[in-house]
């Protein structure tokens, strides 16, 4: 398969520059690295005066490939497809538009090549690293060789990859719905049901886990739980029975987990001891997850919560039989979620394999 320099197939369009004081709520929307997700994210758009857009080409066009060209190293080069837009949107200073030339290449084929793992790794290797940010070397990117089969073959490859990616997206959407289903069932069963509510400080006694250096979290027989679930493993354990834990600090502040038997819990989490016989762990796990405990985190410095901060949060205490019924329904959701995650992982592996083969001429 012949290869052609990227610069022969598409143009790299640099974005507009502006200062924070240039923001204008009535102005034109401008894209940033934040908008470059798996699909173009238009949920958070800042606006500037149209006077900052010096050239017509600095407005996005459908079929552009929007690139994060100045970002943290792991995200530089990340790109998304630009669909039909409801309003004019400008290209910002930290992103770049890759605009396929009409008749030179199939736009979807180029998008799939540009976002393939091998191309993305190569783009990151071109980045110029500074202290906090990496910049994509557009000159080196423009010189990258693009495998270029016939137009008919380009369209065939793009269609196969688009179809495989659509299956992945549908699977992820199912997972989103399953994640939301627990909350819906909880609200249907217990919100406005006249059940007595109790403060957490009356239902649970909290204690911090025990510090365990990262170097000691090595391959061992027992899982180690921190604020974000299992962090590693260890030769020793703290608790024989499953324990309810809540993330205490950082990005996972307020996250709720139920440990496996014979586990260690680090000091990045709080460990629960139940003070009431009418509450079960299977009920409390989703109930506390839905209580949004992270809202009690301190706002200065690193987010953190304590037993005192979450003590006034309250949860309903339904009869034991309703708790069991709720837990049974949640368990079925977990099973379906696990099955779907396995299928989603299989879809992702298949998609990665198709990508790899497509641009080696093996698809």
């Amino acid at each position: 398969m012949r290869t052609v320099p990227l610069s022969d197939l598409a143009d790299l369009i640099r974005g507009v520059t502006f200062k924070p004081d240039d923001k204008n709520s009535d102005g034109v929307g401008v894209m940033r690295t934040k908008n470059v997700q798996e699909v173009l994210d238009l949920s958070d758009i800042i606006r500037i005066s149209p006077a900052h857009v010096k050239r017509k080409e600095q407005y996005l066009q459908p079929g552009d490939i929007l690139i994060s060209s100045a970002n943290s190293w792991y995200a530089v080069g990340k790109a998304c497809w630009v669909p039909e837009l409801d309003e004019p949107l400008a290209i910002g200073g930290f992103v770049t538009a890759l605009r396929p030339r009409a008749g030179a290449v199939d736009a979807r084929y180029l998008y799939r090549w540009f976002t393939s793992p091998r191309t993305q790794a190569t783009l990151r290797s071109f980045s110029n690293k500074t202290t906090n940010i990496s910049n994509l070397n557009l000159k080196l990117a423009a010189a990258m060789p693009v495998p270029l089969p016939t137009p008919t073959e380009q369209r065939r490859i793009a269609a196969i990859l688009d179809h495989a990616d659509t299956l992945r997206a549908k699977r992820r959407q199912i997972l989103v719905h399953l994640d939301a289903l627990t909350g819906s069932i909880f609200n249907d069963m217990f919100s406005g049901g006249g059940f007595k509510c109790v403060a957490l400080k009356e239902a649970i006694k909290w204690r911090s886990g025990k510090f365990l250096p990262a170097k000691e979290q090595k391959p061992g027989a027992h899982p180690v739980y921190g604020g974000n679930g299992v962090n590693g493993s260890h030769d020793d354990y703290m608790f024989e029975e499953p324990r309810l834990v809540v993330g205490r600090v950082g990005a996972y502040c307020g996250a709720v987990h139920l440990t496996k038997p014979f586990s260690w819990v680090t000091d990045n989490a709080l460990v629960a001891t139940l003070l009431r016989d009418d509450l079960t762990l299977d009920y409390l796990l989703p109930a506390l997850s839905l209580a949004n405990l992270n809202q009690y985190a301190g706002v200065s410095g690193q987010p953190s919560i304590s037993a005192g901060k979450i003590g006034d949060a309250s949860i309903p205490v339904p009869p034991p039989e309703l708790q069991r019924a709720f837990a049974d329904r949640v368990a079925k959701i977990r099973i379906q979620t696990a099955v779907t995650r396995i299928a989603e992982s299989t879809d992702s592996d298949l998609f990665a394999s198709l990508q790899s083969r497509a641009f080696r001429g093996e698809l």
Side-chain angles (χ1 to χ4, degrees):
M1 185 189 306
R2 71 188 182 105
T3 61
V4 178
L6 179 60
S7 58
D8 287 357
L9 304 174
D11 297 306
L12 289 161
I13 313 296
R14 294 177 180 269
V16 303
T17 58
F18 58 93
K19 299 176 182 178
D21 293 341
D22 295 330
K23 293 179 183 179
N24 182 339
S25 59
D26 296 324
V28 63
V30 61
M31 295 290 93
R32 301 166 290 159
T33 56
K34 184 176 182 180
N35 302 107
V36 182
Q37 302 299 326
E38 286 198 19
V39 296
L40 186 64
D41 185 354
L42 301 179
S43 62
D44 183 9
I45 301 177
I46 64 171
R47 298 182 180 275
I48 59 174
S49 168
H52 289 282
V53 187
K54 304 299 184 183
R55 306 188 309 277
K56 184 179 179 180
E57 67 178 9
Q58 290 178 310
Y59 283 101
L60 283 178
Q61 297 180 10
D64 281 352
I65 300 164
L66 188 61
I67 308 166
S68 177
S69 50
N71 208 328
S72 53
W73 181 85
Y74 73 91
V76 72
K78 182 179 178 181
C80 65
W81 176 261
V82 177
E84 292 286 342
L85 301 171
D86 295 331
E87 62 170 315
L89 294 173
I91 305 163
F94 293 100
V95 293
T96 300
L98 179 65
R99 184 162 295 158
R101 294 179 194 158
V105 65
D106 181 83
R108 290 298 294 180
Y109 173 84
L110 187 64
Y111 164 68
R112 290 301 179 189
W113 170 81
F114 194 89
T115 55
S116 65
R118 184 174 182 179
T119 302
Q120 288 285 294
T122 302
L123 289 167
R124 282 194 296 274
S125 74
F126 292 161
S127 64
N128 303 313
K129 298 181 182 179
T130 61
T131 303
N132 297 315
I133 200 168
S134 294
N135 295 283
L136 181 62
N137 189 315
L138 296 180
K139 183 177 181 180
L140 292 176
M144 288 183 67
V146 182
L148 200 67
T150 65
T152 300
E153 184 68 3
Q154 291 174 42
R155 291 189 291 271
R156 186 184 74 86
I157 290 171
I160 291 172
L161 294 178
D162 283 349
H163 179 67
D165 200 22
T166 297
L167 294 178
R168 287 199 311 162
K170 288 181 178 178
R171 200 84 68 178
R172 288 194 295 266
Q173 191 60 41
I174 292 172
L175 288 171
V176 170
H177 290 316
L178 286 171
D179 287 343
L181 187 56
T182 296
S184 297
I185 293 174
F186 185 93
N187 290 330
D188 287 345
M189 292 184 67
F190 306 125
S191 294
F195 302 111
K196 177 184 176 182
C197 290
V198 298
L200 292 188
K201 60 187 176 184
E202 299 175 4
I204 297 173
K205 180 179 179 180
W206 300 99
R207 58 171 283 193
S208 177
K210 188 175 180 181
F211 175 68
L212 184 66
K215 64 181 180 181
E216 294 187 22
Q217 295 183 38
K218 55 189 178 181
H222 309 291
V224 175
Y225 285 79
N228 60 336
V230 178
N231 286 348
S233 56
H234 191 48
D235 292 332
D236 200 359
Y237 62 89
M238 290 175 60
F239 303 106
E240 292 188 5
E241 72 282 2
R243 300 297 293 266
L244 195 68
V245 299
V246 172
R248 190 178 64 82
V249 295
Y252 301 98
C253 191
V256 185
H257 305 281
L258 185 64
T259 72
K260 294 180 179 179
F262 301 98
S263 295
W264 186 288
V265 180
T266 74
D267 57 346
N268 285 330
L270 297 172
V271 186
T273 298
L274 301 191
L275 301 178
R276 301 174 61 108
D277 294 333
D278 55 355
L279 287 170
T280 65
L281 290 178
D282 287 337
Y283 168 77
L284 278 172
L285 177 62
L288 290 180
S289 297
L290 295 167
N292 296 321
L293 298 180
N294 61 335
Q295 67 182 297
Y296 300 97
V299 295
S300 61
Q302 181 173 236
S304 65
I305 60 174
S306 64
K309 288 180 179 177
I310 63 176
D312 291 331
S314 63
I315 56 172
V317 184
E321 60 272 17
L322 284 183
Q323 292 186 44
R324 287 193 293 270
F326 174 69
D328 287 344
R329 296 177 72 177
V330 171
K332 292 177 181 177
I333 294 172
R334 288 201 196 105
I335 292 171
Q336 186 59 51
T337 298
V339 171
T340 305
R341 288 195 188 282
I342 292 172
E344 195 273 336
S345 178
T346 301
D347 291 343
S348 295
D349 290 343
L350 173 61
F351 182 71
S353 174
L354 290 172
Q355 279 184 312
S356 177
R357 292 164 53 197
F359 304 112
R360 296 200 307 262
E362 300 174 358
L363 189 58

